[in-house]
Amino acid sequence: MEDAFSTYHPIINFFYFVVVLTISVFFNHPVILGVSLISAIIYSMVLQGWQKVLKFNFLFMLPMLIIVALINPLFNHAGVTILFYLKNGNPITLESIIYGVVMSVMLVQVIIWFSCYNIIMTSDKFIYLFGRIIPALSLIFSMVLRFVPKFKAQLKVISNGQKCIGRDITNGNILMRARHGVTILSIMVTWALENAIETADSMKARGYGLSGRTAFSLYRFDKRDKGMLAMMLGLLLLFIVGVSMGNTFVQYNPAIVISGINPVTFFSFFTYFIFGAFCLMPVAVDGLSYLRWEKMKAMIPEKEFHMEMQVSVEAP
């Protein structure tokens, strides 16, 4: 079943990710980061499946989180709570360890949010939003976002082709494997450059970027999009009010000062709840869409439902 949030207008999708990523990057409050991380993992599970997300997080994100959290205290020695000293005389402080954990969580959750962004904000949506404003930059940006998945797919094709003639990186000794790897890399670089030139020539031939050029689009900003935008703006306004009250203030150097936790006030809890509601809006939209779909299926007998689905697929 298609993700329901991706069917909204591109402005809604882009606005959502801009707000979430901006708050996740510029707010170091542990509760804000925790809510953002949990929401990102949940939404990525909805989009990609829980098995793939858990495998990716345990194999890549968890080691990255640990490495970044351990590296920061080795180079950052600020803080008043000294735990012990290294052999070179530099202190290891509690504040530097906590700040390293915070920075690692921020990095991990931003990467997960961008993985969701790449699924929802396709290249055609981005070009639709910015094609007339910054045509050249929007085209380059969309090509950059598409480059990694296309490069991986083409690399698999080239590797399988080289394997058929015995020139894969798994064939031969170390020198032969290195030579085969260089050959595959050379083929991939040539393909990437040629593909970029062909895309540029194709867009130029279609008049992309010319003044007065019109473009066909299926996107329409309807009442559903207006309602969603109003809800987002309302939640964002409430969150800004909570921020202005000091509920997200945090300081890690020289001493740790975190507001809104000890004690947890009604307004601080309300601020965190509002941010969590904003982050989980796509998940709520998908859940409601799924419930409506199941309710519609329950109202129609199973045989008639499959017959109607078959007729709708076969109809011209």
Side-chain angles (χ1 to χ4, degrees), residues 32-42 65 105 108-109 112-113:
I32 297 296
L33 292 178
V35 171
S36 179
L37 177 62
I38 295 174
S39 302
I41 293 176
I42 293 175
L65 189 149
V105 171
V108 168
Q109 53 100 6
I112 298 176
W113 276 123

Side-chain angles (χ1 to χ4, degrees), residues 12 23 29 59 70 77 109 112 127 136 211 230 282 316:
I12 302 297
I23 296 176
H29 197 281
L59 293 180
L70 293 177
H77 308 290
Q109 53 100 6
I112 298 176
I127 293 179
S211 59

Side-chain angles (χ1 to χ4, degrees), residues 54-98:
L54 288 181
K55 180 180 178 181
F56 176 76
N57 288 334
F58 277 108
L59 293 180
F60 298 100
M61 295 295 99
L62 184 60
M64 181 186 299
L65 189 149
I66 297 175
I67 291 173
V68 174
L70 293 177
I71 288 177
N72 184 74
L74 298 178
F75 296 94
N76 182 10
H77 308 290
V80 297
T81 309
I82 300 176
L83 300 179
F84 57 90
Y85 289 89
L86 299 175
K87 292 184 178 180
N88 56 8
N90 291 326
I92 298 297
T93 63
L94 176 64
E95 289 79 9
S96 63
I97 294 176
I98 299 298

Side-chain angles (χ1 to χ4, degrees), residues 86 130 142 146 180-181 185 233 247 254 263-264 273 279 294 313 315:
L86 299 175
F130 300 101
S142 64
R146 294 178 57 195
H180 295 160
L185 180 62
L233 291 175
N247 295 318
V264 178
F273 177 80
C279 292
E294 292 296 324
V313 171

Side-chain angles (χ1 to χ4, degrees), residues 8 12-13 41 45 55 58 80-81 91 108 111 119 122 168 184 225 255 288-289 307:
Y8 281 80
I12 302 297
N13 300 145
I41 293 176
M45 286 182 178
K55 180 180 178 181
F58 277 108
V80 297
T81 309
V108 168
I111 294 176
I119 296 175
T122 56
D168 188 51
I184 294 176
D225 299 312
L288 292 176
S289 177
M307 291 178 61

Side-chain angles (χ1 to χ4, degrees), residues 1-9 12-13 16-17 39 42-43 46-47 120 125 222-232 235 276-294:
M1 188 175 178
E2 185 183 6
D3 176 68
F5 184 70
S6 63
T7 61
Y8 281 80
H9 197 274
I12 302 297
N13 300 145
Y16 169 79
F17 284 106
S39 302
I42 293 175
Y43 192 32
V46 173
L47 295 176
I120 302 300
K125 290 183 179 180
D222 53 17
K223 294 182 179 180
R224 185 186 64 158
D225 299 312
K226 294 179 181 179
M228 178 60 69
L229 181 60
M231 291 178 59
M232 287 184 174
L235 292 176
F278 188 94
C279 292
L280 293 176
M281 285 187 71
V283 179
V285 170
D286 291 338
L288 292 176
S289 177
Y290 176 78
L291 292 177
R292 285 196 297 265
W293 175 257
E294 292 296 324

